Amino acid sequence: MSPSLKPFLSVSIIIFTLLAIVFLKMEVRRAGYSLLKDSRQYKVLVEQKRAQEMVLAQLVRPERIETVAQKQLSLQKAQKGQIVQIAGSHIVLQN
């Protein structure tokens, strides 16, 4: 290796090392911002899931199902002493 090339090579190594350090620090910062953004989005999704579970719980509560069955499906409550038999496709009501 020639003596005139050694200073150029050493300066090139130093510059390359400094640029690599800057690049790595920028990548760490970018990854941190990405992680922050993802964690915020995760919190929003968890809150949405919780809200949807609450709505589902309200929709499938027994009182609501009974009300829908009575109003929309014309379900009638069995009277005291009434027997309801379901055999195949026929329904038999006995009092």
Side-chain angles (χ1 to χ4, degrees):
M1 195 177 277
S2 69
S4 65
L5 197 58
K6 285 184 181 181
F8 175 73
L9 189 60
S10 64
V11 169
S12 297
I13 291 173
I14 290 172
I15 290 174
F16 176 75
T17 304
L18 291 174
L19 288 175
I21 289 171
V22 169
F23 176 76
L24 290 175
K25 284 189 176 192
M26 286 174 42
E27 281 299 307
V28 167
R29 181 66 49 103
R30 185 191 60 78
Y33 285 139
S34 177
L35 183 63
L36 178 64
K37 179 183 150 197
D38 289 344
S39 67
R40 286 181 181 169
Q41 185 178 4
Y42 175 75
K43 287 180 184 179
V44 168
L45 292 174
V46 165
E47 187 62 32
Q48 286 177 350
K49 179 183 178 242
R50 189 174 150 272
Q52 289 175 348
E53 286 175 345
M54 288 174 45
V55 169
L56 178 64
Q58 290 174 351
L59 290 175
V60 298
R61 71 180 194 268
E63 297 85 18
R64 171 135 170 88
I65 293 174
E66 183 178 358
T67 303
V68 169
Q70 287 176 353
K71 289 183 179 177
Q72 295 178 2
L73 304 175
S74 66
L75 176 74
Q76 296 176 358
K77 288 189 175 185
Q79 302 298 323
K80 187 174 183 177
Q82 183 180 16
I83 300 172
V84 179
Q85 294 178 342
I86 301 175
S89 62
H90 302 287
I91 299 176
V92 180
L93 297 176
Q94 297 177 354
N95 286 330

